Amino acid sequence: MKSFYLLVTALLLGASLTGQATLRGLFVNLDGHAATLRYEDNDWTAGTRGYGFGVKLGYGIGTTTLYLGTGMTYLEGNVDTRFGEKYSLRDTELGARFHLTSNPRRVVPYVETAARYVTSEPYTGVSTRGGGAALAPGLLVYLSEHVALDARARIAGTYVYDVESVGIDLPFPTDPYSYVTAGFHLGVTFYPAVRRARYRFERGGGHL
C-alpha cells in the first residue's frame, strides 16, 4: 500500500512539471472505485461495502464535457442489510462535467453530475431496476497534453422502483426502496483530440 501511494505521488509531481490540459474533443475515462452502499430503510441501517470499475465516452466543448457511461459495482454480503449475499449493481449514466477553469492548466478541478439507471440481480431469479442521480467533485492532473489522472469523490442516490421475482420465497420486501452510495474513484482520462491546424502548419515549415 505504501508503494502505491509513492507511485501516485511521483505521478502527480511529474504531471506538475510536464502536463497541460486539453478539454476539447473526444473524452475517454477509465476508473476503479471503492464504495459504501447504505439503505435508507429504518430496518436496514448498516452499510454494505463494495468495489468496481467504469468507463465513460463523451465529447468536450469548451469547459463542458457530455458523456455516456457504464459501470459495475460488486457488493459484499451483509446480513444486517436488505440483501445478505454478494451481488453486483450495473449502472448506465448520462452526465456532464463542468470544468472550473477555461485556461489550459496542469491541474483542472471539475464538478460532475449524472442521471443514472441501475439494475441488479441480488438472488437467482430476482431482478431490480432503479433510477437516480449522482454528484461528484473531482480533479484532473495532467501527465501529458492529452492524458490525466482523474480522482473524484462521489455520492449517488437511487430509487428502486421495480423488484421482480419468479415466485421464489425470499426474506426481502418487493416494495420500492431507496439507497445512497458514497465512493472514491481513481482512474485515467484521455482527451485524444489532435490539433490539426498546428500539425499542418508545422509540416509546412511555417513560423508562428
Side-chain angles (χ1 to χ4, degrees), residues 79-179:
V79 295
D80 295 324
T81 68
R82 179 180 295 268
F83 301 115
E85 299 182 4
K86 294 182 179 180
Y87 72 102
S88 60
L89 300 173
R90 294 171 293 278
D91 65 85
T92 301
E93 294 188 349
L94 180 63
R97 283 189 174 189
F98 304 98
H99 301 93
L100 305 183
T101 178
S102 59
N103 299 319
R105 295 183 179 181
R106 297 182 179 95
V107 179
V108 178
Y110 66 84
V111 175
E112 182 178 286
T113 61
R116 54 201 311 260
Y117 172 73
V118 186
T119 62
S120 68
E121 189 175 329
Y123 297 102
T124 301
V126 177
S127 62
T128 72
R129 294 185 295 169
L135 177 66
L139 198 66
L140 292 169
V141 181
Y142 277 78
L143 306 177
S144 67
E145 186 178 7
H146 301 288
V147 180
L149 289 178
D150 191 329
R152 61 189 178 277
R154 176 182 168 96
I155 186 166
T158 303
Y159 175 71
V160 178
Y161 55 82
D162 184 37
V163 180
E164 296 182 349
S165 69
V166 291
I168 302 174
D169 185 17
L170 292 173
F172 70 92
T174 58
D175 296 332
Y177 61 94
S178 300
Y179 60 84

